[in-house]
Amino acid sequence: MAPYEALYGRKCRTPAARDRQKSYADIRRKPLEFKEGDKVLLKVSPWKGVVRFGKKGKLKSTFCWTFKIVERIGSVAYRHELPEKMQGIHDVFHVSNLRKCLADETLTMPLKDVQVNEKLKFIEELIQIEDSQTKFLKRKRLKLVKVIWNLQEVRNLLGNLSPK
């Protein structure tokens, strides 16, 4: 018998610690459901990411690759379509390890106008000088020039493709 019950002769009406903790956890919990054919990102732990997925490094992302959901198994598990290089990994994951992939495959940039050198750096060429002015400081004169580079067209294209 609990001390409260022995003293007062009735059960305590305050919620137990487990109930209180559950209510705190339920506030942040949101139900996740996916359909067959949805693309999802898989969350991997740091150690398993190195061992199973070859993801290492200090600044690596927590989520790896996008996978397509093949079927739903129960209420909280999903079977995925894994590539051939991941044949040793089980293809069923819990919903807590998945995030919806928000990338839109229709927003791809054509790379025919982009020039790259042998070190895979963009080659920037001067197209036009738009404006120039001189800024006077206490003891210096700075010449400011506004230039349009060929890479600017690529940046404009990327800006137009980004979702608003």
Side-chain angles (χ1 to χ4, degrees):
M1 180 180 293
Y4 183 90
E5 192 176 342
L7 183 63
Y8 295 105
R10 61 185 164 90
K11 296 249 184 209
C12 180
R13 292 188 301 157
T14 60
R18 182 177 53 184
D19 296 333
R20 202 171 324 125
Q21 291 299 324
K22 182 180 181 323
S23 69
Y24 296 152
D26 287 345
I27 291 171
R28 295 192 60 206
R29 186 171 291 141
K30 57 184 175 188
L32 286 175
E33 289 193 17
F34 302 106
K35 295 178 257 173
E36 290 182 12
D38 282 354
K39 297 266 185 164
V40 292
L41 297 167
L42 175 65
K43 181 179 180 182
V44 293
S45 67
W47 175 245
K48 289 181 182 177
V50 171
V51 173
R52 293 191 182 130
F53 299 101
K55 304 272 286 181
K56 46 181 141 166
K58 193 176 200 178
L59 300 176
K60 70 168 183 53
S61 64
T62 309
F63 297 95
C64 71
W65 307 296
T66 59
F67 298 108
K68 185 177 176 184
I69 293 180
V70 177
E71 68 174 306
R72 182 176 182 165
I73 300 173
S75 60
V76 292
Y78 292 92
R79 184 177 308 279
H80 299 281
E81 184 178 286
L82 298 178
E84 300 242 347
K85 65 180 180 179
M86 296 182 162
Q87 287 299 338
I89 300 169
H90 200 272
D91 60 350
V92 176
F93 295 101
H94 191 267
V95 72
S96 65
N97 293 328
L98 303 175
R99 295 290 180 271
K100 179 96 172 154
C101 181
L102 300 175
D104 190 3
E105 294 179 4
T106 60
L107 300 176
T108 56
M109 186 185 88
L111 295 176
K112 59 185 172 194
D113 297 332
V114 179
Q115 298 175 358
V116 181
N117 64 9
E118 59 276 350
K119 292 185 178 182
L120 299 178
K121 301 281 185 182
F122 290 113
I123 300 172
E124 296 189 45
E125 296 174 350
L126 175 70
I127 293 178
Q128 177 183 354
I129 296 176
E130 276 202 0
D131 188 22
S132 68
Q133 58 182 334
T134 305
K135 186 173 184 178
F136 295 99
L137 300 176
K138 289 183 179 179
R139 296 181 189 169
K140 293 182 182 179
R141 289 182 355 188
L142 295 176
K143 182 127 181 159
L144 303 173
V145 180
K146 187 173 182 182
V147 177
I148 296 179
W149 300 92
N150 67 339
L151 191 57
Q152 190 69 30
E153 297 170 2
V154 174
R155 288 185 187 134
N156 289 340
L157 182 61
L158 285 174
N160 293 339
L161 290 178
S162 64
K164 295 186 171 52

